[in-house]
Amino acid sequence: MTDFFQLLISGIATGSIYAMAALGFTLLWQAAGTINFAQGEFVMLPAFAMLIGIAAGLPLWLAFVVAVAISVLVLGAGFKRLVVDPMRGSGVVAVVVATLGLSIGLKSFVKAGYSAEPHPFPSVFSEEVFKLAGVTISYSDVGALVFAGLMVLGLQMLLNKTITGRAMQAVAQNTFAAEALGINVKRMILYTFGINAILVAVTALLITPTYLAKFDMGDNIGLKAFFAAIIGGFNNSRGALLGGVLVGVLENLAGAYLTPSYKDGVALVLFLAVILVKPDGLLGTPQERKV
Amino acid sequence: MSVLSVHDIKKSYGAIRAVDGVSFNVEPGEILGVIGPNGSGKTTLFNSILGQIKPDTGRVEFEGVDISGKSPLALSRLGVGRTFQNLQVFSKLSLRDNLIAAAQEFHGGLWGRIFAPSDNGVGARADEMIEMFRLKHVADLPAGSLSYGQQKLVDIAMAFMPAPRLVLLDEPCAGVNPSLVDGLRDLLIELNRKQGGSFVVIEHNMDFVMKLCHRIVCMVEGKVLAVGKPAEIQNNRAVLEAYLGN
Amino acid sequence: MTLSKRHLALLALAIIALTVLPTMLKTYGLYLLTLWLVYIIAAFGLNLTVGYAGLKSLCHAGFMGIGAYTVAILMKAGVSFWLATPVAIVLCFAFGLLIGFPALRVQLHYLGFATLGFNLLLMLFFRNEEWLTGGTFGIQNIKRPELFGYSLMGNLPFYYVVLALTVIAGAALAYLLRSPWGRAFAALRDNPIRAESTGVNITAYTLMSFAIGAAYAGLAGALFAPLVNFIEPAPFGIGNSLLFLLMVVVGGSGRFYGPVLGSAIALLLPEYLRFAKDWYLAVFGFAVVVMMIWLPGGLLSIKETWQLHRAKRDVKSARPEAA
Ligand SMILES: Nc1ncnc2c1ncn2[C@@H]1O[C@H](COP(=O)(O)OP(=O)(O)O)[C@@H](O)[C@H]1O
Ligand SMILES: [Mg+2]
C-alpha cells in the first residue's frame, strides 16, 4: 500500500508537468486555432538553452531566466509572427503540417548543430528523499508538484481574476464578439503565445532532469501533452490539468502493476477510451456539428 | 397518400425553441413554399426532417413509411434530395464531376463500382443537367473556383441529379444574381413537370415563391402561422403583420 | 484520370530510364533506388488516405512495420515470400479497417493523434515482444526470394522485381482513382456532409481509404524486409510516419505523382547527402513551414497556384464593380 502512495505521488508530480505543456497547447488552440505539433520541441529548445547557459558558467536559476526570455521571444512572438500569422485562413490542416515540419526542423537542427547524445541536466530540487508516514517521497517530486501546481493555479487566477485574463478568455471563446467588445484581440493572442512560451520553459526545467536533454526528448512529452489535453477537454483549460495528472498517475500505476514495457501506451489507451465515450474530453463542452 | 408528412416536430437549443410543433403534408407533384423571418426555424426544420439533427419530438413519413431518425445517407438512398442554405459543393472536383458524384452511388454495388466505367453511367445525365442549367462553359472548372451564384446552381443541380421523388431546397435564390432568379424559377417548374417529384422550397424572395409554389407554409418563431395558396397567404392579415409588412 | 499521349510518352520514358539506368549504378546507388521505389509504394497508399480521401493518418510507418515483420517472421518460419507478402498486405488491410473506426467517431483533427498513438503502440510491441519480433535486436538475415527458380539475391534482379511491383501498384491505384471510387473519395474529402446527402456512404469509404492505404504500406514493408535483410523497430517509428505525411504533402497531396517527387525529396536526397543528413533534414523541416505558407498544394501545384493567383488578379482588375 505504501508503494501505491509513492507511485501516486510521483505520478501526480509527472502528471502536473505534462499538464503544463498540455495547458499551453490548449491555450494556443483556443485563442488562435493553432494545433502545435512542435509543442514537444518547444520544451526541448529551452532545455538546451539552459544547458548552454550552464556550460557558459551561469547558475541554473539565471540560465532559466535567460531561457524563459529567449523562449518568449522566439517560441512566443517569433512563432506567432513568422509561422502562425502568415497562415491565417489556410485552415487547421495546413498549420498542422507546418508545425510538423517545424518539429522535424528543430529536432534535426539541434541534432546536427549541437549533439545527438543525451545530456544530464541539473535538478532544481534536491535528489534526496524523506519519509512521511512510511511513504518514501523525493524532494524533487514534491518540488515539481508544488512548482507546476503554482504555475497552473497562478494561470487560472490570471485567466479568471484579471481583466487581461478575462479578455483572453473572451478571445478564446468568440473572437468576433471579443473584437466587437473593443478587446485588442491581436494583443491577447500574442499574450497567449507568450504564456505558452513560459509554460514550455518551465516544463523543460522540471522534466529534463529525468528525461535528459536530447534532441528527440520532445517526441514523448509532446505526445503526452496532446493526449492529456484531449483527455481533459480541448476547449477547457482546467481539462489539461485533469488530463495531465490522470495520464501521469495511470501510467505510473500501470507501469508498476501491469507491465512496465507498455507504460508509454497508457496515455493512448486512456485517450481512446475517453474520446470514444466522450468525444469532447472529460471536461470539454460538446460542439454540435455545423450544417 | 402524401409524399411527405411531418407531425409535430420540436427542437430546442437551450431556451430557444427553434422549431415548436410543426406539422404539414406535401402532396405528389406539389411545390410547397416555406417562408418566415430569419430565425423562425426553417433550416432547423429541414435538418430535423433530413436526419441532419435529431429533433426532440416528432414523426416524419415519406410515402407512408416512417423515416424519423433515419440518417441523411439512408434518406438520400430512399429518394430524398436536398440543398443547403450555405454553399455545399465539392470544391476541388470539376463541376461535371460534382454532378456525377451526386448520382453515381445510386447505381450498382459498392464493390461493383470499382470496375464500373468512370462516370458509372450517369455522365449523360450530368451533361443534360449542365445543358439545362446553362453551365456548359464552366463544366470542366473546379466547382470551388466558380462564382457564388454558379456554385448555388451546381448545388441545386446536384440535388436533382439522381431524380429524387422529393427535394428540399433551402434558399435557392440567396446570393444568385437577381437577373437569373426568373430563369431559376422556370427551371424548377420545368424540372417539376418533366421529372415529377415534389419540392419543398425555403425562400425569402416573395416574387419567386408566389410564382413558383402551389402552396405556402408561413412560419414564425418556430410555429406554423398560416398555410394556403399563394394568393391566400399574400392576403392573410397575420402573415402580413408578422412578415410581409416589414 | 485519362492519359494524354504526352503523359503516356513521358511515363514510358520514365519506366525505360528506370529499367536501363540501374545497370550503370554501383551497389549503394542501386540500393537507394530500390529503397526509393519501396517508399513510393508506401506513399502512394498514404496519398490515397490523406490526399484523396482527406483523412489524417500518422501511422503509416507503423503499417509498413507490420508488413515487414509479417514477412520476416513468416519467412523465418519457412513460408515463401510470395505467400508471406499477400498475408502481410491482408493483415495491414485489416489493421487499416481497425484504425478507421476511431476515424468515424473522432473529430477530424483528433484523428492525427489517434493514429499517432497507434503507431506508438506498434513500436512498443515491436520492441517488447522479443519472442516474436526479436525486440531491439530485430530479425537478421532475411533472405531475398526466388522467382520461377531464379534467385533474386542479386541487387539488380531484386530491383527489377520491386520496379515491376511499383508499376503494378501504381497502375492499380490509378485504376481505382479513375473509377467512381476515386470521385467518392474526393467527395468525402471536400465535403463529407454534402457527400452523405448525395448517397455517398462515408462510413464505407472512410474505412476503405484507411485499409487500402495501409495495404500499400504493407506491400512496401514486405519488400523492405528482404531489401535491407535486417529489420528492427527504428524505421517504423513515429518520426518516419510524420516524414511520410510530409512526403505526400510536399510532393502535392491528392496528386498522383506527388508521392514520387515527395519521397525523392524526403528520403532519397537525405540518403545521398548522408554526410549532411541532419542539416538536410533541418532545412527540409523549415522548408516545409515556408511551403505551407506559400504553396500549400505542394510542389506539383506550382503551375496552378500561379495561374490561380493570376486569375484572381485579372478578375480584380477586370471587374472593379464586383467588389
Ligand atoms: N446549432 C444551433 N445552436 C443554437 N441555436 C441554434 C442552432 N441552430 C439554430 N439555432 C437557433 O434556432 C433558431 C432558428 O434558426 P434557423 O432554423 O436557422 O432559422 P431560419 O432558417 O428560419 O432562418 C435561431 O434562433 C437560431 O439562432
Ligand atoms: Mg435558414
Side-chain angles (χ1 to χ4, degrees):
Chain A
M1 208 55 202
T2 57
D3 271 1
F4 176 82
F5 283 111
Q6 250 153 265
L7 291 166
L8 193 67
I9 290 170
S10 70
I12 296 177
T14 322
S16 52
I17 303 178
Y18 294 154
M20 280 191 296
L23 186 58
F25 186 71
T26 316
L27 288 176
L28 287 196
W29 164 251
Q30 290 181 343
T34 306
I35 297 189
N36 182 17
F37 260 87
Q39 185 80 346
E41 281 64 43
F42 277 28
V43 174
M44 179 269 292
L45 282 183
F48 275 89
M50 283 185 261
L51 213 55
I52 293 171
I54 293 166
L58 298 185
L60 179 59
W61 69 268
L62 193 55
F64 172 65
V65 172
V66 173
V68 168
I70 297 178
S71 180
V72 168
L73 216 61
V74 177
L75 303 178
F79 175 56
K80 176 178 181 291
R81 289 270 150 77
L82 297 176
V83 179
V84 176
D85 284 350
M87 298 195 68
R88 181 159 286 184
S90 10
V92 180
V93 175
V95 178
V96 166
V97 174
T99 54
L100 273 180
L102 193 63
S103 138
I104 289 186
L106 293 173
K107 250 189 305 216
S108 315
F109 182 72
V110 169
K111 189 180 177 197
Y114 193 83
S115 155
E117 304 304 315
H119 297 268
F121 192 93
S123 174
V124 203
F125 308 106
S126 144
E127 298 291 334
E128 276 164 39
V129 296
F130 65 94
K131 281 200 173 245
L132 187 73
V135 182
T136 317
I137 302 170
S138 77
Y139 283 104
S140 62
D141 274 352
V142 177
L145 184 61
V146 170
F147 206 132
L150 283 178
M151 276 298 289
V152 172
L153 287 180
L155 198 58
Q156 287 287 329
M157 296 267 280
L158 175 85
L159 287 176
N160 293 326
K161 297 277 149 68
T162 67
I163 295 179
T164 312
R166 293 237 182 93
M168 289 173 65
Q169 289 204 342
V171 171
Q173 273 153 22
N174 190 335
T175 315
F176 292 110
E179 198 136 40
L181 287 173
I183 294 172
N184 187 339
V185 171
K186 280 191 187 139
R187 167 153 309 160
M188 295 307 140
I189 292 181
L190 185 63
Y191 286 168
T192 312
F193 277 80
I195 288 177
N196 182 49
I198 298 173
L199 282 169
V200 291
V202 177
T203 310
L205 178 74
L206 295 181
I207 208 156
T208 321
T210 30
Y211 271 49
L212 304 182
K214 196 174 173 219
F215 70 95
D216 63 357
M217 66 184 276
D219 289 355
N220 204 2
I221 301 166
L223 213 57
K224 300 283 166 63
F226 302 151
F227 285 144
I230 300 171
I231 289 167
F234 217 34
N235 50 18
N236 184 320
S237 37
R238 239 164 310 165
L241 186 61
L242 176 67
V245 171
L246 265 181
V247 169
V249 168
L250 286 183
E251 77 182 10
N252 238 5
L253 295 180
Y257 294 120
L258 295 174
T259 151
S261 31
Y262 286 94
K263 188 178 162 188
D264 284 336
V266 170
L268 167 77
V269 175
L270 192 59
F271 159 79
L272 283 179
V274 168
I275 57 168
L276 288 178
V277 181
K278 216 166 168 295
D280 296 287
L282 293 174
L283 299 184
T285 40
Q287 298 160 316
E288 264 211 28
R289 197 162 80 153
K290 283 235 165 66
V291 178
Chain B
M1 180 181 55
S2 301
V3 174
L4 179 74
S5 32
V6 174
H7 303 280
D8 197 29
I9 297 266
K10 285 185 184 161
K11 172 75 185 176
S12 301
Y13 290 109
I16 301 172
R17 291 189 187 158
V19 179
D20 195 11
V22 170
S23 308
F24 63 87
N25 289 333
V26 182
E27 304 310 326
E30 183 179 32
I31 304 181
L32 179 76
V34 178
I35 61 172
N38 267 326
S40 56
K42 307 180 295 294
T43 298
T44 307
L45 175 66
F46 263 29
N47 286 334
S48 305
I49 295 171
L50 289 158
Q52 210 69 251
I53 57 176
K54 200 177 168 314
D56 303 332
T57 62
R59 195 159 50 91
V60 184
E61 281 173 19
F62 175 60
E63 295 175 341
V65 182
D66 189 349
I67 56 161
S68 319
K70 283 216 190 288
S71 73
L73 177 67
L75 291 177
S76 73
R77 289 287 169 82
L78 279 175
V80 183
R82 78 167 297 185
T83 72
F84 291 79
Q85 178 170 355
N86 43 359
L87 273 185
Q88 304 269 1
V89 296
F90 306 125
S91 52
K92 294 216 178 109
L93 288 178
S94 75
L95 190 166
R96 188 167 184 273
D97 275 330
N98 266 270
L99 297 190
I100 296 174
Q104 66 170 28
E105 300 291 310
F106 293 84
H107 305 276
L110 181 68
W111 299 106
R113 280 197 291 275
I114 294 185
F115 305 101
S118 181
D119 67 2
N120 203 20
V122 298
R125 165 92 181 144
D127 293 330
E128 207 177 286
M129 291 299 262
I130 289 169
E131 201 71 54
M132 201 167 173
F133 279 77
R134 300 200 180 79
L135 289 166
K136 197 156 183 190
H137 56 297
V138 287
D140 293 321
L141 296 180
S145 72
L146 306 179
S147 73
Y148 188 91
Q150 284 168 333
Q151 292 192 41
K152 201 87 196 185
L153 292 181
V154 175
D155 206 350
I156 297 168
M158 278 165 77
F160 285 101
M161 266 301 288
R165 297 192 298 287
L166 173 68
V167 187
L168 287 80
L169 301 127
D170 197 344
E171 303 201 14
C173 294
V176 174
N177 190 324
S179 63
L180 299 177
V181 164
D182 284 350
L184 181 59
R185 188 195 61 218
D186 294 341
L187 241 161
L188 291 176
I189 291 174
E190 190 187 337
L191 276 167
N192 181 247
R193 246 204 330 263
K194 268 200 195 157
Q195 234 171 259
S198 313
F199 308 165
V200 184
V201 185
I202 296 178
E203 187 45 64
H204 284 298
N205 184 326
M206 275 312 129
D207 185 53
F208 181 86
V209 176
M210 293 301 165
K211 287 184 184 153
L212 173 70
C213 299
H214 305 139
R215 219 156 43 102
I216 292 171
V217 172
C218 179
M219 277 179 74
V220 172
E221 287 172 6
K223 290 194 167 74
V224 174
L225 183 68
V227 186
K229 296 226 155 41
E232 294 164 18
I233 291 291
Q234 229 160 356
N235 299 320
N236 182 312
R237 272 200 101 93
V239 174
L240 283 173
E241 265 164 36
Y243 187 54
L244 296 175
N246 52 43
Chain C
M1 202 168 64
T2 43
L3 294 178
S4 69
K5 280 216 178 84
R6 200 175 118 225
H7 185 160
L8 268 179
L10 281 177
L11 189 62
L13 216 65
I15 291 176
I16 290 171
L18 283 174
T19 313
V20 178
L21 191 73
T23 56
M24 296 177 253
L25 285 175
K26 296 216 182 70
T27 313
Y28 188 61
L30 192 56
Y31 162 76
L32 285 188
L33 205 58
T34 320
L35 191 65
W36 180 44
L37 294 178
V38 168
Y39 275 106
I40 289 177
I41 296 178
F44 270 153
L46 189 61
N47 195 22
L48 176 73
T49 318
V50 173
Y52 287 98
L55 297 158
K56 295 293 146 279
S57 167
L58 289 173
C59 57
H60 215 58
F63 284 133
M64 198 170 147
I66 296 178
Y69 274 103
T70 305
V71 163
I73 291 163
L74 286 178
M75 283 178 77
K76 285 283 167 195
V79 179
S80 151
F81 171 82
W82 301 107
L83 196 67
T85 298
V87 173
I89 294 174
V90 170
L91 199 63
C92 282
F93 186 89
F95 269 103
L97 286 181
L98 198 73
I99 296 306
F101 273 108
L104 301 171
R105 283 278 312 181
V106 169
Q107 294 185 23
L108 213 57
H109 38 273
Y110 292 0
L111 189 57
F113 299 118
T115 51
L116 209 58
F118 178 71
N119 203 146
L120 180 90
L121 220 52
L122 278 176
M123 265 314 259
L124 292 174
F125 183 86
F126 295 150
R127 206 178 282 151
N128 293 323
E129 302 306 313
E130 265 177 43
W131 59 276
L132 187 66
T133 64
T136 43
F137 300 110
I139 300 175
Q140 322 225 353
N141 285 326
I142 304 161
K143 294 240 165 26
R144 290 189 187 160
E146 288 187 349
L147 183 61
F148 307 128
Y150 289 104
S151 163
L152 301 177
M153 278 313 280
N155 291 326
L156 200 58
F158 189 69
Y159 167 81
Y160 283 127
V161 169
V162 174
L163 177 63
L165 286 173
T166 309
V167 172
I168 293 172
L173 183 66
Y175 185 84
L176 182 73
L177 289 173
R178 64 137 279 297
S179 82
W181 277 46
R183 202 177 291 106
F185 283 136
L188 169 65
R189 171 197 64 200
D190 281 0
N191 195 333
I193 291 177
R194 182 54 161 153
E196 215 177 3
S197 78
T198 55
V200 178
N201 185 342
I202 56 174
T203 306
Y205 284 109
T206 301
L207 291 176
M208 279 302 138
S209 86
F210 259 98
I212 298 172
Y216 270 75
L219 172 62
L223 294 170
F224 181 80
L227 170 67
V228 297
N229 302 125
F230 156 67
I231 57 169
E232 44 142 0
F236 311 120
I238 287 173
N240 271 350
S241 282
L242 302 185
L243 208 58
F244 266 123
L245 180 73
L246 294 186
M247 261 185 243
V248 170
V249 173
V250 165
S253 73
R255 283 161 196 279
F256 190 78
Y257 293 107
V260 179
L261 182 62
S263 50
I265 293 172
L267 265 147
L268 205 56
L269 278 185
E271 284 287 339
Y272 272 112
L273 304 173
R274 193 151 236 180
F275 59 95
K277 190 172 177 185
D278 293 319
W279 283 115
Y280 176 87
L281 275 181
V283 172
F284 172 77
F286 295 129
V288 168
V289 180
V290 176
M291 205 185 84
M292 289 321 288
I293 295 170
W294 296 103
L295 196 67
L299 288 175
L300 290 180
S301 76
I302 285 183
K303 207 173 125 195
E304 275 158 50
T305 308
W306 172 243
Q307 279 170 350
L308 200 73
H309 179 75
R310 244 191 8 204
K312 267 191 192 151
R313 215 179 44 195
D314 291 351
V315 166
K316 259 191 204 141
S317 57
R319 289 190 309 173
E321 83 281 11

